[in-house]
Amino acid sequence: MLMKEYRICMPLTVEEYRIGQLYMISKHSHEQSDRGEGVEVVQNKPYEDPAHGQGQFTEKRVYLNSKLPSWARAVVPKIFYVTEKAWNYYPYTITEYTCSFLPKFSIHIETKYEDNKGCNDNIFDTELKDQEREVCFVDIAYDEIPERYYKESEDLRYFKSGKTSRGILQEGWRETQDPIMCSYKLVTVKFEVWGLQTRVEQFVHKVIRDVLLLGHRQAFAWVDEWIDMTLDDVRDYERQMHEKTNIKVCHEQQEQSTTNPSSLDDIEIDDSAST
């Protein structure tokens, strides 16, 4: 098991990011879904928890075979997906990733959002006092992003919002930015297979860090698209994008399963990482 705590600051308020996060996830999932790979939404419904109250439950299938590294793809079927289950009690969320083909593999993410610059060192201590973890700050403007994800329009070193007048984010922006919020994410990766555990867990954390960096960059880079939305507006947008994405992914999956059945011997080589 490898646990890390990621802290990602944003030039937004926690209340604003509630809308921005839903918008970003829906748009990003649609953009990343292609050739039968991407995100299929299985469930998206209201959910009530005795401890956390009213929330939203989503279940998704993340198809990503060709985006696994070659050493991982050698042992998985051609049509391969990870199940994502998320319980959103904003500003607290729980997300779990599992795979029926790899029963010893799981990812557990607890997220809390606060209006500060990432200075709360005790935000998870109530639940996990004795767990050791590395704290990793992620800078949405100045941390290096994989080249395949880079878009000039999403480069926050040069982006300025027309509707909020926030940006351009200068070096050290977290010390002076107002408003500012932080996503605190406690990520636990487990892959309990002798000989592969360390390599796989470290690889998965690298992928997660890249995805967190990209997602939070996009949430702010797209701020002018969602800042005027209400929660009802973004839920409608979310439903529309889920329908479009499901059609995009499921149609290709059906074609692949018909014309090219799953086979452990039929493996393409590609070392890129994915959501």
Side-chain angles (χ1 to χ4, degrees), residues 255-274:
E255 286 192 351
Q256 285 187 28
S257 62
T258 302
T259 61
N260 196 4
S262 174
S263 169
L264 285 175
D265 298 322
D266 186 10
I267 298 173
E268 301 173 5
I269 302 301
D270 185 343
D271 284 320
S272 61
S274 167

Side-chain angles (χ1 to χ4, degrees), residues 1-4 128-134 186:
M1 180 182 79
L2 182 58
M3 178 186 293
K4 294 187 180 183
L128 295 161
K129 289 181 179 178
D130 301 323
Q131 295 285 347
E132 290 187 7
R133 56 190 180 270
E134 178 185 355
L186 188 64

Side-chain angles (χ1 to χ4, degrees), residues 98-258:
T98 56
C99 175
S100 59
F101 184 75
L102 300 169
K104 295 184 181 295
F105 169 76
S106 66
I107 304 172
H108 181 86
I109 303 175
E110 286 189 62
T111 306
K112 293 186 177 182
Y113 304 97
E114 287 190 346
D115 286 312
N116 57 50
K117 56 185 179 181
C119 53
N120 188 347
D121 293 329
N122 302 308
I123 193 165
F124 293 111
D125 279 8
T126 301
E127 296 88 349
L128 295 161
K129 289 181 179 178
D130 301 323
Q131 295 285 347
E132 290 187 7
R133 56 190 180 270
E134 178 185 355
V135 175
C136 306
F137 282 88
V138 178
D139 189 323
I140 59 173
Y142 289 91
D143 279 3
E144 185 176 354
I145 193 166
E147 185 177 351
R148 63 186 173 278
Y149 292 148
Y150 179 82
K151 291 183 181 179
E152 186 175 351
S153 62
E154 297 171 3
D155 192 330
L156 304 184
R157 297 171 298 174
Y158 311 110
F159 170 79
K160 183 177 179 68
S161 165
K163 291 185 177 181
T164 68
S165 298
R166 298 174 203 169
I168 299 170
L169 299 184
Q170 305 287 347
E171 290 257 22
W173 64 272
R174 288 180 296 178
E175 300 304 317
T176 58
Q177 175 63 38
D178 184 33
I180 191 167
M181 59 153 288
C182 184
S183 298
Y184 294 83
K185 292 185 173 286
L186 188 64
V187 181
T188 304
V189 178
K190 291 183 181 180
F191 188 69
E192 297 171 341
V193 176
W194 185 86
L196 289 174
Q197 180 171 2
T198 299
R199 182 181 185 182
V200 170
E201 290 178 353
Q202 289 176 344
F203 168 78
V204 171
H205 267 287
K206 180 183 182 303
V207 173
I208 289 171
R209 184 187 177 99
D210 287 345
V211 171
L212 293 177
L213 174 58
L214 175 63
H216 286 76
R217 279 168 64 103
Q218 290 179 329
F220 182 57
W222 297 340
V223 63
D224 289 344
E225 299 175 28
W226 59 259
I227 193 66
D228 295 326
M229 286 184 168
T230 65
L231 188 58
D232 287 340
D233 291 336
V234 79
R235 287 296 185 193
D236 287 340
Y237 175 82
E238 187 180 44
R239 282 190 290 271
Q240 294 171 19
M241 295 305 287
H242 286 173
E243 290 173 5
K244 292 179 181 179
T245 304
N246 279 3
I247 291 171
K248 197 175 181 183
V249 173
C250 295
H251 176 71
E252 293 290 341
Q253 284 294 329
Q254 290 172 358
E255 286 192 351
Q256 285 187 28
S257 62
T258 302

